[in-house]
C-alpha cells in the first residue's frame, strides 16, 4: 500500500488566504441579507428571498476553514451577528410571507438561507460556540415557536397534524431553530412569565407523557416540539435533546416535576419498549440515552440522587441483554457510547458528597459493575466508544482513593501484558534460554496483541496523565508503556495499518506528561526504570529519552497526524522543561509542526538536520531507519527513501561513533547469519527489499573500503552472492509474476549496480556470470520501475568487463532478440525489456567499436530505448535490418498480458521512435512503416490515434497545404477521418490504412464507430467505381486472411455487413469473385465459440441475402 501526499501544506496555504476569505465574507454577508440601494428608503430592507447560488458561495467560503476553524474566532461575532439580526427582523415583520414562493424557483426564503449559513458555521466552528451569538431576548421565544409551527405546517390539534402532509422546513432550519430555542430556554425568568396567559394546547404526548398538566403553555409547547424530533434521524435530534435537557433542569420546571415525568417515561421505554409508537426506532433510543446523559451531566447530586439506582439498573439490564431493547441499542456505536457516558456520570454522582442522600445499600455493586463495563468498553470495535470509556475512567479515577487508582493502573498494565512476548537476538541466546539475559537487549514482541485493546488502554493512561491522576510510584511503568505504544504497529490481512491510533494516543499521553508534570517530578524518574536499554544507550534522564523517542516518531512515522502529534509533544516537552534537552530550542525549530507534515520532507531533510544536533538524536534516527518505519516499512516508496537517507547519514557521519556499524552490521547483516544461512527465512519480501536497498546504499558510499569492516565481512562481494543464493530473493522469484518478483529484481539489481560501480575487483569478475544470469532472468519484466534498475545494473555489470567481453555479451543479447527460425523478432514483454537494456548499454558503453551513427530511440511509456546499429562487423549480422524489423514488430504489437494492454504502449513507443528518425530509409521500409502509422492514425484507441497523427504531422509526409488548419482537430471527428482517408489516398497508403480503419468502424466507442462509418461512406461517394471495387475486394481479402479466428475477423465482418446494408452500389460490388472465395472460407468460422463473431457473421449473411446474390 503506497502512501500519497499533497505537495503543499494545506494549513500554510489556508493561513495565507484566510485574511482575504474573511474580508470577502465581511463584505458578502451584509449584501447577502439586505438590499443595497443607496439614496432610497429601502436602503436597509432585508431581502425576502435569497438566490441559492449566493447561499452556496457563502457556505463555500465558510467551509474553507473546516480544518482550521480557530481562524474564524476573531471575526465570528461580526459574521454571525448580522445573520441573527436579520432572522429576528424577518421573524417580527415578515414571518407571514414565508410560504410565498419565488417565481423563479431558484431562491430560498430568507430564514432558510440564514439557517443554511448558520448551520455551516456550526459545522465548522461547533454549535456551542456559534449559539453564544444567538439573541437571548425572551420576547422572541413565543414568536419563534409560532413561526416554527406555521412554517412547518403544524397545527395545534394533534388529529389535524396527523393528517397533514405539509412539511415546509428543511432539516437545517429545524436544527438551527431548535438550537436557538434551547439557548432561549436558559432565560433567567420563569417561563410562566413569558407565556401567553390564556393559551392552551391539546397536543397529546406518547406513553406516560399523555398529560403534562400544570406546565406553562410555552413550556408545554417546547416539550411537545422537543419530543416530536426526539427520534429524528438527522441533526435536529441533537438540538431537540438539548432543548429538553435545559427545560427539565430549570428550577421552575423541576418544581413542577417535569424531570421526574420525563425520566420515568424514558426508563419505561428503554426497559420494556412500551409507551408510544415512536419507540421502535434506534434513533428514539439514541435520543433517550442522550437525554439521560445530558440530564446527569447538567444536574447536581441532590437532583439526580433519587434516580441513580433506577438509571443504573436500566443501564445494567441493557449491557447484560436483559431487555428486548438491548439488541438494538448495543448494535449502535453511538448508543453504546451514550451508555458509557451515563455510567460515568452515575459513578461521579455516587462518589460526590452532594449525592449522599442516596441509599447506596440499594446496590452495593454499582461501582464494580460500572468499572467492569468501562474496562470492557476499552476494547470496543468503534473508536468513539473507546475514547469515551478511557475519558470516563480517568475522570472517575480523580475521585477515587489513591489505593484504588493504583489498582486501576495495575489492571491496565496487566492487560497490556496480555499476549505480549519478549524476544532476544538469536546471536545472543540459543534455545530461548532467557535466564540471566542482559535486559538491554530485550525486544518486546507485540504481534499477537489486540490493537483495539491497546488503543483503549493507552488512551486511558494518557487521560490519567492529562488529569494528573496517575500515582507517582507508577509513572515509570506508565511512561514505559507509552514508549512501547509510540512504536506500535500492526497490519491487517489487507495490508492496512492497525497501529496508528495507538501511536496517536501515545503522543497525547507524552504531551500530557510534559504539560501536567513538573521538571522535578520527571527528573525523579530513573530512566533505567522506564526502559532498561535507555541508560545503556547513554540517556541521562527520562526527559532526554522521551525527546529522542519523539524525534524518531516525528521524522520517520508514516502517518502525518502521528508525526505532527509527536512534534507537538516535543514542543511541549522542550517548552515546559527548559535546559533539560540538548539543543532544545533549535530542535523544535527543525522538527516543526509544518516541517514534518510531508513524509518525504520529514524523512529526507528533517532527519539529517536533527541528527546533526546531538548524538542522542543520531542514535534514535539510526535505530528507526532499520525498523518498520523505514527500511522494513510495508511501503516500497518509504523503503527507497529510507535507503537514500541511510547513505546520506553515512556520507556525513561515517562510522566514527559506531552507531551505524552497530545497527547495520551487527543488527541487520550479521556475517554469521549470512554465511550460515541463519534467520534468513524469517524475513518477509518487503523486509528483504528494504535491507538490500540499504545494503546497496552502504556499498555506494564505500562501506567496504574500511579495513575494520572488511575484517568483519572479509568477503564482502561473496557475501552478496550468498545473500542472493540463500535469501528468499532468487532466480525462481525473479521469473515469477507479480509484486514479489518486481521487488526481487529491484533489490538485487540495485545491489549489483552498487557493487559494480564501487569496486571492480577480481571478486566481482569471478561472479559476473552469475550476475548476468540474474539480469537475463529479469528481462521478462517491462514495467518502468523495473526497467530503470535493470538498465542501471546491466550498464554497471558490463562496465566491469573488458571490451571483448562486453562485445560478446551484447552480441549474445542482440542475437537473442532475433528468432533463429524465421528471422522475425518476437514482440511482447521479454523482447521489449531486452531491446531497452541493449539500447541503454550501447548508449552508455565505452566500446570503441560502437558506431558513431547510433540513434537513441526514446519512448514515452516504457521510458526505454530502441537502438539502430548501421554496421558492426564484429556482430556478424546486419544490425540495421534488425532494427527495422524490431520497429515494424513494435508498430504492430497488440500484446495483452497480466499487466494490461502493453501492446498499445509499445505501439506508441514505436511511433515516437519513427518521429525522431532523420536518416534516409529505403522505399520498401518507408512504405511498410508509414502504412502502419497511417493505419494507427485511424485505429480505435484515442491515445494511439493522437500519437500517430502527431507523427504524420511532424514528418511532413504528405505535401498537403492545409496541415496547419487541421492541427487542432480532435481525432474522433468525421472531418478527421475523411481527411485521413484522402491523405492516405494521395500517398498511395489507403489500402494499408484500411486495416486500422476496420477497428474504428466496428469495435471502438459508439461515437467513434458512428463518425468513422459516416466518414467512410462520404469518402466512398467521392471515389470512382473502380476505386470502390478495389476497397471492397481489399476488405474481403482482410477478412479471408483472418479466418478462422484472427484479430480482425469480427471487425471485418461487421464493416462488410454495414456496407451491404447502406452502400447503394453493393450489387456491383457483390459480383466480385472475392465474395465467392470468402463464402468458401467462412464455414470454418461456424464452429467458433465467440458469440460476437457469430453475430457479425449472421449480419453479413443477412446483407448478402438482401443483395440477391
Amino acid at each position: 500500500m503506497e502512501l500519497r501526499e499533497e505537495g503543499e501544506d494545506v494549513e500554510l496555504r489556508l493561513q495565507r488566504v484566510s485574511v482575504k476569505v474573511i474580508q470577502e465574507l465581511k463584505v458578502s454577508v451584509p449584501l447577502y441579507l439586505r438590499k443595497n440601494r443607496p439614496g432610497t428608503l429601502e436602503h436597509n430592507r432585508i431581502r425576502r428571498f435569497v438566490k441559492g447560488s449566493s447561499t452556496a458561495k457563502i457556505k463555500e467560503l465558510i467551509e474553507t476553514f473546516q480544518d482550521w476553524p480557530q481562524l474564524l474566532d476573531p471575526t465570528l461575532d461580526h459574521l454571525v451577528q448580522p445573520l441573527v439580526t436579520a432572522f429576528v427582523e424577518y421573524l417580527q415583520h415578515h414571518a407571514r410571507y414565508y410560504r410565498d414562493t419565488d417565481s423563479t424557483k431558484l431562491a430560498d426564503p430568507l430564514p432558510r438561507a440564514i439557517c443554511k449559513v448558520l448551520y455551516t458555521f456550526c459545522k465548522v466552528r461547533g454549535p456551542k460556540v456559534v449559539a453564544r451569538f444567538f439573541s437571548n431576548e425572551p420576547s422572541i421565544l413565543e414568536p419563534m415557536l409560532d413561526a416554527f409551527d406555521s412554517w412547518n405546517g403544524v397545527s395545534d390539534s394533534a388529529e389535524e397534524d396527523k393528517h397533514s402532509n405539509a412539511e415546509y422546513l428543511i432539516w437545517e432550519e429545524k436544527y438551527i431553530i431548535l438550537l436557538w430555542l434551547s439557548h432561549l430556554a436558559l432565560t433567567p425568568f420563569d417561563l410562566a412569565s413569558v407565556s401567553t396567559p390564556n393559551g392552551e394546547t391539546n397536543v397529546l404526548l406518547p406513553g406516560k407523557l399523555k398529560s403534562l398538566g400544570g406546565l406553562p403553555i410555552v413550556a408545554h409547547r417546547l416539550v411537545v416540539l422537543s419530543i416530536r424530533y426526539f427520534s429524528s434521524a438527522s441533526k435536529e435530534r441533537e438540538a431537540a435533546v438539548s432543548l429538553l435537557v435545559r427545560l427539565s433542569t430549570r428550577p421552575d420546571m423541576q418544581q413542577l416535576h417535569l424531570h421526574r415525568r420525563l425520566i420515568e417515561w424514558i426508563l419505561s421505554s428503554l426497559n420494556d419498549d412500551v409507551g408510544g409508537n415512536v419507540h421502535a426506532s434506534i434513533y428514539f433510543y439514541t435520543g433517550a440515552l442522550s437525554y439521560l446523559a445530558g440530564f446527569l451531566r447538567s444536574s447536581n447530586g441532590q437532583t439526580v440522587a433519587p434516580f441513580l439506582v433506577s438509571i443504573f439498573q436500566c443501564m445494567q439490564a441493557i449491557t447484560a441483554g436483559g431487555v428486548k431493547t438491548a439488541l438494538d441499542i448495543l448494535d449502535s456505536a453511538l448508543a453504546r457510547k451514550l451508555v458509557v457516558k451515563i455510567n460515568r456520570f452515575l459513578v461521579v454522582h455516587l462518589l460526590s458528597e452532594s449525592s449522599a442522600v442516596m441509599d447506596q445499600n440499594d446496590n452495593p455493586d454499582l461501582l464494580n459493575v460500572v468499572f467492569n463495563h468501562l474496562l470492557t468498553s476499552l476494547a470496543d470495535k468503534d473508536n468513539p466508544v473507546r475514547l469515551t470509556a478511557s475519558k470516563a475512567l480517568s475522570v472517575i479515577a480523580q475521585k477515587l482513593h489513591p489505593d484504588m487508582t493504583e489498582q486501576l493502573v495495575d489492571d491496565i498494565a496487566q492487560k497490556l501484558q496480555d499476549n505480549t512476548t519478549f524476544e532476544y537476538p538469536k546471536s545472543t541466546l540459543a534455545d530461548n534460554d532467557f535466564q540471566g539475559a542482559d535486559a538491554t537487549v530485550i525486544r518486546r514482541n507485540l504481534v499477537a496483541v489486540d490493537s483495539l485493546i491497546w488503543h483503549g488502554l493507552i488512551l486511558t493512561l494518557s487521560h490519567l496523565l492529562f488529569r494528573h491522576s496517575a500515582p507517582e510510584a507508577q509513572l515509570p511503568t506508565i511512561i514505559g508503556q507509552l514508549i512501547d505504544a509510540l512504536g506500535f504497529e500492526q497490519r491487517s490481512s489487507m495490508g492496512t495499518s492497525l497501529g496508528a491510533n495507538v501511536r496517536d494516543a501515545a503522543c497525547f499521553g507524552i504531551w500530557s506528561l510534559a504539560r501536567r508534570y513538573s521538571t522535578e517530578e520527571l527528573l525523579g524518574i530513573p530512566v533505567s526504570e522506564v526502559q532498561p536499554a535507555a541508560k545503556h544507550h547513554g540517556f541521562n534522564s527520562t526527559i532526554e529519552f522521551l525527546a529522542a523517542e519523539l524525534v524518531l516518531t516525528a521524522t520517520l512515522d508514516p502517518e502525518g497526524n502521528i508525526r505532527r502529534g509527536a512534534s507537538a509533544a516535543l514542543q511541549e516537552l522542550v517548552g515546559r522543561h527548559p535546559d533539560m534537552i540538548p539543543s532544545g530550542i533549535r530542535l523544535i525549530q527543525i522538527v516543526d509542526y509544518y516541517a514534518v507534515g510531508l513524509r518525504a520532507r520529514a524523512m529526507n531533510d528533517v532527519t539529517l538536520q536533527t541528527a546533526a544536533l546531538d548524538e542522542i538524536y543520531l542514535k534514535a534516527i539510526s535505530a528507526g531507519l532499520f525498523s518498520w518505519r523505514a527500511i522494513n516499512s510495508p511501503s516500497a516508496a518509504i523503503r527507497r527513501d529510507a535507503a537514500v537517507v541511510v547513505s546520506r547519514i553515512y556520507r556525513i557521519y561515517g562510522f566514527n561513533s559506531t552507531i551505524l556499524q552497530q545497527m547495520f552490521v551487527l543488527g541487520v547483516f550479521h556475517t554469521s547469519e549470512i554465511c550460515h544461512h541463519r534467520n534468513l527465512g524469517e524475513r518477509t519480501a518487503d523486509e528483504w527489499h528494504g535491507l538490500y536497498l540499504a545494503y546497496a546504499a552502504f556499498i555506494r558510499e564505500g562501506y567496504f573500503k574500511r579495513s575494520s569492516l572488511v575484517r568483519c565481512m572479509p568477503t564482502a562481494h561473496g557475501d552478496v552472492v550468498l545473500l542472493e543464493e540463500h535469501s528468499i530473493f532468487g532466480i525462481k522469484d525473479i521469473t515469477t509474476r507479480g509484486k514479489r518478483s518486481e521487488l526481487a529484481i529491484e533489490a538485487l539489481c540495485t545491489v549489483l549496480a552498487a557493487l559494480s560501480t564501487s569496486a571492480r575487483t577480481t571478486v566481482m569478475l569471478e561472479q559476473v556470470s552469475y550476475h548476468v544470469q540474474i539480469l537475463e532472468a529479469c528481462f521478462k519484466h517491462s514495467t518502468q520501475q523495473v526497467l530503470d534498475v535493470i538498465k542501471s545494473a546491466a550498464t554497471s555489470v558490463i562496465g566491469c568487463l573488458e571490451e571483448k567481453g562486453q562485445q560478446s555479451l551484447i552480441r549474445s543479447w542482440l542475437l537473442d532478440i532475433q528468432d533463429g527460425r524465421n528471422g522475425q523478432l518476437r514482440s511482447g514483454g521479454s523482447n521489449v525489456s531486452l531491446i531497452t537494456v541493449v539500447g541503454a548499454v550501447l548508449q552508455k558503453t565505452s566500446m570503441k567499436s560502437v558506431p558513431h551513427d547510433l540513434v537513441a530511440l526514446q519512448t514515452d511509456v516504457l521510458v526505454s530505448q530502441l537502438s539502430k546499429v548501421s554496421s558492426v562487423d564484429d556482430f556478424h549480422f546486419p544490425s540495421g535490418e534488425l532494427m527495422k524489423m524490431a520497429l515494424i514488430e513494435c508498430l504492430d504489437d497488440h500484446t495483452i498480458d497480466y499487466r494490461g494492454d502493453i501492446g498499445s504502449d509499445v505501439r506508441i513507443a514505436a511511433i515516437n521512435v519513427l518521429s525522431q528518425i532523420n536518416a534516409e530509409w529505403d522505399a520498401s521500409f518507408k512504405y511498410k512503416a508509414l502504412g502502419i502509422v497511417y493505419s494507427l492514425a485511424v485505429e480505435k484507441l484515442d491515445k494511439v490515434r493522437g500519437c500517430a497523427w502527431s507523427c504524420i504531422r511532424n514528418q511532413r509526409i504528405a505535401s498537403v497545404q492545409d496541415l496547419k488548419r487541421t492541427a487542432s482537430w480532435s481525432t474522433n471527428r468525421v472531418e478527421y477521418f475523411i481527411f485521413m482517408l484522402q491523405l492516405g489516398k494521395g500517398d498511395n497508403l489507403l489500402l494499408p490504412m484500411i486495416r486500422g480503419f476496420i477497428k474504428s468502424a466496428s469495435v471502438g466507442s459508439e461515437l467513434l464507430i458512428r463518425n468513422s462509418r459516416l466518414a467512410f461512406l462520404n469518402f466512398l461517394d467521392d471515389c470512382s467505381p473502380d476505386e470502390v471495387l478495389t476497397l471492397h475486394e481489399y476488405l474481403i481479402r482482410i477478412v479471408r486472411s483472418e479466418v478462422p479466428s484472427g484479430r480482425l475477423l469480427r471487425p471485418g465482418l461487421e464493416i462488410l455487413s454495414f456496407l451491404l446494408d447502406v452502400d447503394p452500389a453493393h450489387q456491383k460490388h457483390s459480383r466480385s469473385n472475392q465474395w465467392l472465395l470468402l463464402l468458401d472460407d467462412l464455414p470454418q468460422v461456424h464452429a467458433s465459440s465467440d458469440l460476437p463473431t457469430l453475430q457479425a457473421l449472421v449480419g453479413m449473411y443477412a446483407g448478402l441475402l438482401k443483395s440477391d446474390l
Side-chain angles (χ1 to χ4, degrees), residues 475-477 479-481 483 525-532 534 542 545:
L475 283 179
T477 302
I479 297 175
Q481 301 286 6
I483 295 299
I525 303 173
V527 66
S528 58
E529 294 184 13
V530 174
Q531 196 171 93
T542 301
F545 181 48

Side-chain angles (χ1 to χ4, degrees), residues 415-606:
K415 288 181 177 294
L416 288 172
Q417 297 295 336
D418 293 345
N419 299 321
T420 301
T421 59
F422 293 91
E423 296 180 346
Y424 296 83
K426 293 183 179 295
S427 58
T428 304
L429 296 174
D431 300 328
N432 294 330
D433 183 12
F434 297 157
Q435 295 182 357
D438 185 1
T440 62
V441 297
I442 296 177
R443 298 176 184 174
R444 195 172 189 179
N445 190 331
L446 304 176
V447 174
V449 303
D450 189 337
S451 61
L452 300 181
I453 295 177
W454 262 69
H455 178 228
L457 296 173
I458 294 298
L459 203 56
T460 304
L461 294 178
S462 300
H463 277 292
L464 288 173
L465 293 173
F466 180 73
R467 289 173 172 78
H468 207 284
S469 302
E472 185 176 348
Q474 293 176 307
L475 283 179
T477 302
I478 294 176
I479 297 175
Q481 301 286 6
L482 292 178
I483 295 299
D484 290 336
L486 204 59
F488 185 93
E489 174 65 357
Q490 283 185 350
R491 290 277 163 174
S492 67
S493 58
M494 301 298 294
T496 57
S497 174
L498 300 178
N501 51 5
V502 179
R503 302 196 300 276
D504 185 60
C507 289
F508 170 59
I510 298 177
W511 178 87
S512 302
L513 181 72
R515 186 178 184 87
R516 299 299 185 185
Y517 289 81
S518 65
T519 303
E520 291 74 17
E521 289 176 305
L522 295 182
L523 290 178
I525 303 173
V527 66
S528 58
E529 294 184 13
V530 174
Q531 196 171 93
K535 189 69 175 178
H536 175 73
H537 289 300
F539 295 104
N540 299 321
S541 67
T542 301
I543 298 178
E544 285 189 5
F545 181 48
L546 289 172
E549 292 296 325
L550 289 174
V551 165
L552 170 61
T553 303
T555 54
L556 298 180
D557 197 279
E559 301 291 338
N561 63 314
I562 308 299
R563 293 193 301 273
R564 287 182 160 174
S567 174
L570 182 63
Q571 184 176 1
E572 196 73 20
L573 190 67
V574 173
R576 298 280 178 173
H577 310 283
D579 302 326
M580 292 291 105
I581 299 173
S583 306
I585 300 300
R586 180 57 183 154
L587 177 65
I588 61 176
Q589 290 175 343
I590 295 174
V591 190
D592 179 65
Y593 181 86
Y594 298 107
V596 299
L598 297 178
R599 180 193 58 78
R601 183 170 57 198
M603 178 174 285
N604 296 327
D605 300 332
V606 179

Side-chain angles (χ1 to χ4, degrees), residues 63 206 218 257 292 345 484 508 536 541 573 584 645 656 767 855 865 874 885 905 915 1004 1083:
E63 288 172 349
V218 68
H257 306 292
L292 290 178
F345 295 133
D484 290 336
F508 170 59
H536 175 73
S541 67
L573 190 67
V645 175
N656 51 6
Q767 303 296 337
V855 178
Q865 294 174 333
D874 293 338
M885 288 188 291
D905 295 337
S915 299

Side-chain angles (χ1 to χ4, degrees), residues 834-876:
L834 188 52
I835 292 176
T836 299
V837 172
V838 171
V841 169
L842 288 176
Q843 186 182 25
K844 296 181 180 180
T845 187
S846 59
M847 291 188 301
K848 297 179 181 179
S849 57
V850 175
H852 62 277
D853 59 345
L854 180 67
V855 178
L857 307 170
Q858 303 293 329
T859 67
D860 290 338
V861 179
L862 301 178
V863 193
S864 60
Q865 294 174 333
L866 297 170
S867 298
K868 175 182 74 72
V869 183
S870 298
S871 60
V872 182
D873 296 335
D874 293 338
F875 287 173
H876 303 295

